[in-house]
Amino acid sequence: METKLCDIQNLNSEEALRGLEQAGEILRSGGLVGFPTETVYGLGANAFDAEAVAAIFAAKGRPGDNPLIVHVASLQQARELVEFTPLAEKLAECYWPGPLTMVLDSRGLVPASVSAGLSTLAVRFPSHPGALAMLRAAERPIAAPSANLSGRPSPTLAGHVLEDLQGRIPLILDGGPVEIGLESTVVDARGEYPILLRPGKVTQDALKLLCGDCPAAGQADCARPASPGMKYRHYAPQGQLFLVKNWREAEALRHSLLQEEAPQPLLLLSEESSRELQRRGVPETQIISLGSEEEPADFAHNLFAALREADHRGAGYIIGQSIPAIGLGAAVMNRYTKAASKK
Ligand code: TXA
Ligand code: MG
């Protein structure tokens, strides 16, 4: 199968209009389309079509027990799929459209495979204009995981989708680089307050402030198990990733690796640390800057692309600088720690 890339950065261009029309046709007839959202690129299929949904799992090599998020273009569409609670109303009012996914009781309209047989369904109303245009063109809810091969970092550029899924899907809508760079915050919104299943741009603190409480699933004070997807090793680069706290630790670890005659490690550093280590003689070619230490949003935006770049360069060892797990930093460190785990 040939994979076509279609530029939709200018939604009114002829290329975009044609591409969106084609995306609508592909989705309605059971095919898969890669598309941009404000978080990461998604791989979409008609949520009502069990065969199309099975094709998502096959294209990604995704385990069947990891449920998908259904994307909608309106609150109305979401209400048809799941049972809204007062909490869901409040969260939707505050954060939709946007990078928040809510797990609610399913009304049973989508095939069981979408939610891996669970009685709940995850729904998200994205804010990206290209995603919304595609959802409208499809005229139905779209089930979509991140558009990477299972186990690879989520795609933040159309080129990443092509890298992973070329030949497996007919069309990728290219909306340019995504804004956020990490997947949506996922909460269970069935109860009185949200339970955090996956940290993201909508932070635990913001949710606590709005709702009174927001425990993380799997924490001692929370009976709910974490989201099924969280048990898999995600976002893994092929090399071994070591996390360090600052440039001093990065330099020390690099030094000891080189003394053991290991291959040159690749360093993922803040701009500030990058400047410091270059001053101390580390070649620029062995460093990728993730952005300012003061800006977790920079790290969020650049982390997945950097992990992919590490693979391109064949880096056997990667030294990655952490940031404090505060605010959006918590989501960054959640993904970073998984990438560093050997499981
Ligand atoms: O930002 C995002 O959410 C992106 C874009 C494309 O929208 N999508 C995404 O999908 O990250 P995916 O499939 O890579 O991650 C979905 C997460 C998984 O951790 C999954 O286990 C969880 O959501 N999930 C889905 N349905 C669930 C449910 N019914 N109950 C609990 N967790 C669920
Ligand atoms: Mg994913």
Side-chain angles (χ1 to χ4, degrees):
M1 178 189 298
E2 194 204 338
T3 304
K4 252 177 60 180
L5 257 181
C6 174
D7 185 348
I8 61 159
Q9 291 191 71
N10 173 3
L11 280 176
N12 294 318
S13 69
E14 248 177 62
E15 182 177 356
L17 292 171
R18 255 202 323 275
L20 287 163
E21 193 178 273
Q22 207 194 346
E25 282 162 17
I26 292 171
L27 290 166
R28 283 192 300 276
S29 58
L32 307 183
V33 175
F35 67 101
T37 82
E38 67 276 29
T39 56
V40 299
Y41 274 76
L43 176 63
N46 177 359
F48 293 136
D49 181 339
E51 271 180 44
V53 168
I56 289 183
F57 285 91
K60 280 184 57 104
R62 181 176 175 109
D65 65 349
N66 192 4
L68 305 178
I69 297 172
V70 177
H71 295 65
V72 295
S74 70
L75 198 53
Q76 178 55 30
Q77 225 175 18
R79 284 187 212 284
E80 285 165 18
L81 297 173
V82 290
E83 286 179 28
F84 264 60
T85 57
L87 173 65
E89 297 289 351
K90 187 168 168 174
L91 290 170
E93 192 176 326
C94 198
Y95 290 112
W96 275 8
L100 178 76
T101 296
M102 294 198 277
V103 170
L104 290 161
D105 281 321
S106 172
R107 293 190 190 277
L109 295 180
V110 300
S113 55
V114 173
S115 55
L118 299 171
S119 61
T120 53
L121 188 66
V123 285
R124 166 157 130 78
F125 180 178
S127 62
H128 191 286
L132 291 171
M134 187 204 73
L135 290 167
R136 288 193 201 104
E139 299 166 349
R140 62 213 65 205
I142 295 299
S146 49
N148 49 285
L149 286 175
S150 210
R152 302 265 296 143
S154 293
T156 55
L157 290 172
H160 296 160
V161 183
L162 195 65
E163 198 173 281
D164 280 14
L165 299 175
Q166 184 156 36
R168 296 176 185 228
I169 60 174
L171 178 66
I172 300 167
L173 300 175
D174 182 354
V178 300
E179 180 198 329
I180 297 171
L182 298 179
E183 307 86 346
S184 63
T185 305
V186 181
V187 296
D188 183 334
R190 288 175 295 167
E192 254 175 70
Y193 44 81
I195 292 164
L196 185 68
L197 302 179
R198 179 174 74 185
K201 171 83 194 290
V202 174
T203 63
Q204 190 175 17
D205 285 342
L207 291 166
K208 262 185 200 160
L209 207 62
L210 179 73
C211 307
D213 201 1
C214 180
Q219 276 182 356
D221 56 346
C222 180
R224 296 259 163 76
S227 176
M230 301 305 278
K231 69 172 184 265
Y232 293 105
R233 182 193 178 201
H234 276 115
Y235 326 117
Q238 270 134 40
Q240 178 67 51
L241 170 63
F242 302 98
L243 295 183
V244 296
K245 287 207 185 67
N246 49 43
W247 68 261
R248 283 180 199 283
E249 281 189 22
E251 187 183 44
L253 180 55
R254 176 173 182 273
H255 188 73
S256 60
L257 283 170
L258 292 180
Q259 275 200 327
E260 287 167 30
E261 290 174 22
Q264 293 277 353
L266 180 67
L267 285 80
L268 312 185
L269 301 173
S270 70
E271 241 162 60
E272 294 85 347
S273 298
S274 162
R275 274 198 299 272
E276 187 62 45
L277 284 195
Q278 283 180 57
R279 256 201 302 276
R280 303 169 74 87
V282 179
E284 194 183 352
T285 50
Q286 285 162 28
I287 301 176
I288 295 177
S289 169
L290 294 177
S292 167
E293 256 161 45
E294 312 290 311
E295 289 295 340
D298 285 358
F299 272 60
H301 191 262
N302 298 324
L303 179 64
F304 286 153
L307 293 175
R308 280 180 182 263
E309 178 60 23
D311 282 350
H312 284 307
R313 298 197 194 177
Y317 294 102
I318 307 154
I319 301 174
Q321 182 178 355
S322 310
I323 51 172
I326 301 164
L328 181 56
V332 170
M333 290 314 297
N334 170 270
R335 313 308 196 271
Y336 220 165
T337 312
K338 281 191 184 189
S341 91
K342 284 188 219 154
K343 269 193 295 171

